[in-house]
Amino acid sequence: MRLKLNEQEVVDGICVFVANQKNCRPEDVDVKEIDAKDNGDIIAKASAHGGHTHKYDNDEILEGIFQFLEEYHSFNREAMFGNLGFTKTEGFFAEIFVNER
């Protein structure tokens, strides 16, 4: 199965990742910026509880999306892989493959 997640779902994944790291709720996370680098990498800046802003890279953002899908939609974490992307028309997105290996 192939899922294409939109920018809001990518942000939700970042919030879940940071919340799991900082032991807080996803609602307590503020994603301040997502940026696409020239080499294709995606970087996000986020903070929890108004604290220090930290940078998160491709792998951390994808892990957050996997955690989001596992925790909120009961997907099997071990059966997922994916990638992030950006286009001017779609914005940020994630392509997630489930049970495709």
Side-chain angles (χ1 to χ4, degrees):
M1 171 181 10
R2 177 181 168 264
L3 303 170
K4 189 160 187 182
L5 305 181
N6 64 30
E7 189 166 328
Q8 182 57 56
E9 293 164 318
V10 171
V11 169
D12 292 344
I14 296 166
C15 290
V16 169
F17 182 81
V18 174
N20 286 341
Q21 275 195 327
K22 304 292 184 183
N23 198 28
C24 65
R25 299 176 308 165
E27 305 85 61
D28 297 330
V29 176
D30 181 23
V31 177
K32 301 192 180 297
E33 178 184 349
I34 305 175
D35 187 31
K37 300 296 181 187
D38 290 338
N39 66 359
D41 287 346
I42 308 294
I43 302 293
K45 294 179 182 175
S47 65
H49 298 293
H52 295 297
T53 299
H54 297 278
K55 287 185 183 178
Y56 299 93
D57 64 19
N58 273 12
D59 292 339
E60 294 166 318
I61 296 168
L62 274 173
E63 180 57 33
I65 291 167
F66 299 149
Q67 291 173 10
F68 167 71
L69 291 171
E70 180 181 33
E71 293 173 24
Y72 292 88
H73 299 288
S74 301
F75 279 75
N76 178 356
R77 169 64 189 94
E78 300 304 316
M80 291 185 276
F81 70 98
N83 56 64
L84 299 170
F86 172 80
T87 65
K88 290 183 181 186
T89 55
E90 294 181 89
F92 293 95
F93 62 88
E95 291 181 305
I96 306 300
F97 300 91
V98 183
N99 294 322
E100 297 273 329
R101 292 189 203 236

